[in-house]
Amino acid sequence: MTAQLDHTIVHSSDRFESARFLTGLLGEPEPGAFGPFATVRVGNGVTIDYADSIVDRDRIVMQHLAFLVSEEEFDDICARIAERGLPYWGGPGHQEPQQINHRHHGRGVYVDDPDGHAIEFLTHPYVEEE
């Protein structure tokens, strides 16, 4: 298959606050602006486009974004999470508070953005256990 993901839209209560949250954890520059979006470009050319929701924050549907990062990037991201005093989890449903996981032959951590979207950072792609 030749189809590639180009961008995805994530609804937020404040598009630039949410985009800056992500760029801050990734250690990347300020998000860009494109039309009604605050954009975050990730390593493979995909953009995460944050849009101000037209409904109230309580009605924003939570999404899950997972980012595959290097071991060094993971260490840097975890340091930024700790510096900000953010709650984080080793499991996707807020299990294992203030822990990282060592599943799937790597490390992983989950943190919520300002609107409750689950942001996952992992060092190894998921593989089926045999």
Side-chain angles (χ1 to χ4, degrees):
M1 176 176 279
T2 59
Q4 296 180 7
L5 182 64
D6 180 72
H7 68 276
T8 190
I9 297 172
V10 178
H11 291 272
S12 61
S13 56
D14 181 323
R15 66 184 186 263
F16 279 98
E17 177 185 18
S18 294
R20 284 185 184 109
F21 179 85
L22 180 57
T23 58
L25 291 180
L26 291 172
E28 294 295 324
E30 283 284 307
F34 183 75
F37 306 108
T39 61
V40 177
R41 185 165 299 278
V42 294
N44 55 356
V46 172
T47 60
I48 311 299
D49 299 335
Y50 287 91
D52 288 335
S53 179
I54 58 172
V55 296
D56 63 55
R57 180 179 178 174
D58 293 335
R59 295 191 50 206
I60 292 174
V61 176
M62 189 280 292
Q63 290 180 254
H64 176 98
L65 301 171
F67 296 93
L68 183 62
V69 297
S70 70
E71 292 287 341
E72 182 178 324
E73 289 167 327
F74 186 87
D75 290 338
D76 292 343
I77 290 165
C78 286
R80 291 182 194 108
I81 290 169
E83 286 168 7
R84 291 177 170 95
L86 297 172
Y88 60 93
W89 300 271
H94 293 173
Q95 307 102 325
E96 305 169 47
Q98 303 308 104
Q99 296 179 45
I100 63 169
N101 72 60
H102 297 274
R103 293 187 283 276
H104 306 286
H105 310 286
R107 297 184 292 163
V109 68
Y110 298 81
V111 63
D112 289 346
D113 85 350
D115 288 303
H117 297 297
I119 310 295
E120 176 184 8
F121 300 100
L122 64 154
T123 62
H124 194 277
Y126 291 161
V127 294
E128 276 191 48
E129 300 296 327
E130 295 183 18

